Amino acid sequence: MEKRIELERRARKVNQITELNLDNCRSTSIVGLTDEYTALESLSLINVGLTTLKGFPKLPNLKKLELSDNRISSGLNYLTTSPKLQYLNLSGNKIKDLETLKPLEEFKNLVVLDLFNNDATQVDNYREKIFKMLPTLNFLDGFDCNDEEVQSEGDDDDEVNGNDSDEEGVSGDDDEEDSDDSEEEDNGEVSLSEVYNDDLEEDNSDWEGEGEGGEDDEDEDSDIDDADGDANESAASVNAKDKDGDKEPDESQVRGKKRKHDG
C-alpha cells in the first residue's frame, strides 16, 4: 500500500492532494496513509483485503469513503476522526449485525450508506432500523426511505444542465432539416424534369430546322439542275446554229459552183 500511495501522489505535496485511489492494492490494514493528508476529500480502498480499520488516519475534510469488497467486520469507530463524511460504501464486507454500525451515529453529515451484501441486511426491519438510527441518511443501499431509487450522477447532471431538452431541440432541428432537404430534393426533381423537357424541345426544334434546311437544299439543287438544263439547251442551240452556219457556206458554194457551171 505504501508504494501505491507514493505512486498516486505523483510528486505532489501531501497536504494538496484531494483525491486518492488505492483500489486493489493488497493489504489487510491501513499502512502509509497518515494525518498529513489534511486536504483529502475522496478516498477509495475497494478490494484491498482489509480486515480492520485500525490505523485509519485523521482526515478532517474527508467526504467520500469507498470500502467495498473487503473483509471488515468491526472497528467502524476508527472512522469517527473524519467528521465531515457524507458518503460511505461498506458493501461486500463481513458486518453481521446492526450493533456494529452504532459508531456511524457520530456522523452528522452522512447522507449515503451502502451495506449491500452484508449479513446485517438480513435483520428484520433492517431498513427501518437503519433510517431511525441515522436520521440524516437519505439513501440506504441505493434507495431512500420510500424505496425510491437514487438517481445516478449522470442523470442529475443532465437535468441540471438541461441536456434532455437540448437533445429534444436538436432532434427537432434535425427533423426540420430533413424535411427541408426532402423539399429541396423534390424541387430539384421538378427543376431537372423541366430542364430535361426544355432540352428535348430544343432538340426537336433543331431537327425541324434541319428538315427545313433539307427542303431548301433540295429546292436549291432543283434550281441548279434547272439552270444546268437551260445552259445545256442554250449550248445545244448554239452548236446547232454553228452547224447550220457551217452548212450554209457549203450550200452557197454548191450553188456558186452550179451557177458557174450553168454559165
Side-chain angles (χ1 to χ4, degrees), residues 10-263:
R10 301 173 186 172
R12 293 175 295 174
K13 292 182 178 180
V14 173
N15 59 1
Q16 294 179 346
I17 298 174
T18 59
E19 184 175 353
L20 199 59
N21 187 327
L22 304 177
D23 295 348
N24 303 309
C25 67
R26 309 306 296 175
S27 180
T28 57
S29 61
I30 305 295
V31 180
L33 193 62
T34 67
D35 297 346
E36 295 177 308
Y37 290 83
T38 54
L40 195 63
E41 296 180 359
S42 177
L43 175 62
S44 186
L45 292 163
I46 298 173
N47 193 33
V48 173
L50 296 174
T51 58
T52 178
L53 292 174
K54 186 177 181 179
F56 194 86
K58 182 180 179 179
L59 304 173
N61 289 302
L62 187 66
K63 296 178 181 179
K64 182 176 181 179
L65 179 58
E66 290 276 4
L67 290 170
S68 60
D69 299 327
N70 284 288
R71 292 180 290 169
I72 299 169
S73 59
S74 61
L76 298 183
N77 56 295
Y78 292 109
L79 301 178
T80 57
T81 54
S82 302
K84 292 184 179 181
L85 194 63
Q86 299 175 3
Y87 175 101
L88 176 60
N89 190 345
L90 288 166
S91 62
N93 278 280
K94 305 295 183 182
I95 299 172
K96 296 182 178 182
D97 52 54
L98 301 185
E99 189 67 26
T100 304
L101 300 172
K102 282 287 185 180
L104 299 183
E105 294 177 339
E106 299 294 327
F107 296 108
K108 304 304 180 182
N109 298 305
L110 188 64
V111 293
V112 178
L113 176 64
D114 198 334
L115 295 170
F116 178 74
N117 201 21
N118 278 275
D119 291 343
T121 61
Q122 304 301 319
V123 175
D124 292 340
N125 300 320
Y126 149 76
R127 292 181 58 81
E128 182 180 346
K129 291 178 180 179
I130 292 295
F131 277 112
K132 186 177 181 179
M133 180 191 300
L134 307 172
T136 62
L137 199 64
N138 291 333
F139 295 99
L140 174 62
D141 303 339
F143 294 85
D144 63 13
C145 60
N146 297 318
D147 290 334
E148 294 291 336
E149 188 174 5
V150 61
Q151 291 182 333
S152 64
E153 294 181 1
D155 293 338
D156 292 340
D157 293 340
D158 288 341
E159 290 181 1
V160 171
N161 296 329
N163 289 340
D164 293 339
S165 60
D166 290 342
E167 290 177 357
E168 291 177 358
V170 170
S171 62
D173 293 340
D174 292 340
D175 294 339
E176 291 178 359
E177 291 178 359
D178 293 339
S179 61
D180 293 339
D181 293 340
S182 62
E183 290 177 0
E184 291 177 359
E185 290 177 357
D186 293 339
N187 294 332
E189 290 177 358
V190 172
S191 60
L192 286 173
S193 62
E194 290 177 355
V195 172
Y196 181 69
N197 291 332
D198 291 341
D199 291 340
L200 287 177
E201 291 176 0
E202 291 178 1
D203 292 339
N204 292 333
S205 63
D206 292 341
W207 280 105
E208 290 175 0
E210 290 178 0
E212 292 176 358
E215 292 177 359
D216 294 340
D217 292 341
E218 290 177 358
D219 292 340
E220 291 178 0
D221 292 339
S222 62
D223 292 340
I224 292 171
D225 292 338
D226 292 341
D228 291 341
D230 294 340
N232 292 331
E233 289 176 0
S234 61
S237 62
V238 171
N239 291 332
K241 289 179 182 180
D242 290 340
K243 289 179 181 179
D244 293 341
D246 291 340
K247 290 178 181 180
E248 287 177 358
D250 293 336
E251 290 179 357
S252 62
Q253 290 177 1
V254 171
R255 289 175 183 176
K257 289 179 179 180
K258 284 180 180 183
R259 288 177 182 175
K260 288 181 180 179
H261 182 73
D262 292 341

